[in-house]
């Protein structure tokens, strides 16, 4: 009975590994927009294969039994950390419509040539709606020019908002930032130069708000979250971004200066 139990356990590991590998390969080669999830599934396939091998070896090698227990413990700890970070990310994925803000900061995303990407357009839609409800506050559009972009993200956002009726003099361009930390730092500096303080409404994708809040807190600022939801038809892409963000948060917390 013990041998049968071990065999079943091994094949469960191997079957799950094959499922993860197949799903990961599909994500990497067909639905490439969720590439991060595909890589994660391939990594899970490798971990499950190792557990299956350790389970098999543990019948005759005591060290393998301990190695399997340690591996399971590490995986459990990793899942617990991931769950805790994901809860934190989800808790920030909201819009606070009640707290007043002295300025609006829109965080950049990819630009396709001169047109906003899907992520950037959702942020601009949310920024426009918030700006129309708060016509008295200035808007900072933040983001530099990246590979494959003909103009900076800030310039793209400036043109998009101006074309939809936002007065150009209301929009401040911050076109140096290359990442979230620089988005926040340079935008706050730009506002400080103009004597604008107080809480800042940060507009970005829902999954991204937690990391933005982390940097805002480190710089002593106060943030009002404004979430830009992804359209319902892009649910797999949204799930991929939320999964990836938990790992990005872990990197920010463990390596804050990198």
């Amino acid at each position: 009975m013990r041998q049968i139990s071990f065999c079943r356990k091994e094949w469960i590991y191997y079957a799950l590994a094959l499922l993860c590998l197949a799903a990961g390969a599909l994500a990497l080669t067909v639905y490439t927009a969720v590439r991060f999830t595909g890589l994660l599934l391939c990594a899970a396939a490798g971990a499950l294969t190792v557990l299956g091998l350790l389970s098999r070896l543990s019948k005759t090698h005591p060290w393998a039994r301990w190695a399997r227990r340690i591996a399971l413990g590490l995986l459990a700890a990793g899942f617990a950390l991931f769950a805790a970070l994901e809860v934190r990310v989800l808790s920030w994925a909201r819009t606070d419509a009640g707290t007043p803000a002295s300025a609006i900061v829109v965080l950049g995303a990819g630009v396709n040539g001169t047109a906003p990407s899907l992520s950037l357009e959702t942020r601009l839609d949310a920024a426009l709606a918030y700006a129309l409800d708060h016509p008295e506050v200035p808007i900072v559009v933040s983001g530099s020019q990246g590979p494959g972009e003909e103009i900076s993200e800030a310039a793209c956002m400036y043109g998009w908002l101006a074309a939809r009726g936002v007065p150009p003099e209301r929009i401040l361009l911050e076109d140096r930032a290359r990442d979230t930390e620089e988005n926040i730092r340079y935008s706050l500096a730009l506002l400080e130069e103009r004597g604008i303080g107080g809480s800042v409404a940060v507009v970005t994708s829902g999954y991204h708000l937690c990391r933005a809040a982390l940097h805002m807190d480190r710089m002593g600022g106060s943030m009002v979250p404004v979430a830009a939801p992804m359209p319902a038809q892009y649910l797999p892409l949204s799930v991929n971004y939320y999964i990836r963000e938990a790992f990005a948060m872990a990197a920010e917390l463990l390596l804050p200066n990198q």
Side-chain angles (χ1 to χ4, degrees):
M1 290 296 293
R2 183 174 178 80
Q3 185 174 1
I4 293 173
S5 175
F6 270 120
C7 288
R8 286 178 180 172
K9 190 178 296 185
E10 292 163 23
W11 286 109
I12 288 172
Y13 284 135
Y14 295 149
L16 289 173
L18 283 174
L19 285 173
C20 288
L21 185 61
L26 187 66
L28 289 171
T29 58
V30 179
Y31 195 32
T32 55
V34 294
R35 184 176 288 110
F36 181 83
T37 300
L39 291 170
L40 201 59
L41 286 167
C42 289
L48 287 165
T49 301
V50 170
L51 285 172
L53 292 171
L54 289 174
S55 180
R56 182 179 182 83
L57 289 171
S58 64
K59 303 174 200 176
T60 54
H61 297 79
W63 65 265
R65 190 175 301 115
W66 283 105
R68 181 167 61 87
R69 290 172 181 170
I70 292 170
L72 287 170
L74 291 173
L75 285 173
F79 275 118
L81 177 60
F82 171 80
L85 290 171
E86 200 63 56
V87 167
R88 185 172 176 181
V89 169
L90 289 167
S91 72
W92 274 98
R94 56 185 171 81
T95 295
D96 181 356
T99 303
S102 59
I104 302 168
V105 173
V106 192
L107 304 191
V111 173
N112 299 322
T114 60
S117 62
L118 173 64
S119 291
L120 186 54
E121 190 162 10
T122 62
R123 297 179 188 187
L124 287 168
D125 285 333
L128 181 61
Y130 190 88
L132 292 175
D133 288 337
H134 302 78
E136 72 286 355
V137 299
I139 305 167
V140 178
V141 288
S142 175
S144 63
Q145 182 176 351
E149 298 175 346
E150 296 179 19
I151 58 176
S152 69
E153 295 164 8
C156 177
M157 290 188 281
Y158 177 93
W160 192 98
L161 290 169
R164 285 156 181 79
V166 178
E169 62 273 13
R170 187 183 170 191
I171 309 171
L172 306 175
L173 275 80
E174 186 296 291
D175 58 5
R176 295 185 297 152
R178 297 166 296 177
D179 54 33
T180 307
E181 188 271 339
E182 291 185 352
N183 283 141
I184 301 299
R185 176 154 53 91
Y186 294 155
S187 295
L188 289 179
L190 192 61
L191 291 171
E192 186 178 358
E193 288 174 7
R194 287 159 174 77
I196 302 170
S199 296
V200 176
V202 173
V203 184
T204 187
S205 305
Y207 63 84
H208 192 210
L209 280 164
C210 184
R211 194 146 45 102
L214 176 66
H215 289 297
M216 183 69 78
D217 185 63
R218 286 174 175 171
M219 295 174 200
S222 176
M223 187 180 109
V224 177
V226 180
M230 190 74 72
Q233 63 266 35
Y234 295 100
L235 179 61
L237 186 59
S238 184
V239 170
N240 175 76
Y241 286 151
Y242 273 95
I243 291 172
R244 187 183 68 182
E245 193 64 19
F247 288 85
M249 280 295 296
E252 291 282 7
L253 293 168
L254 295 173
L255 303 168
N257 297 320
Q258 299 300 313

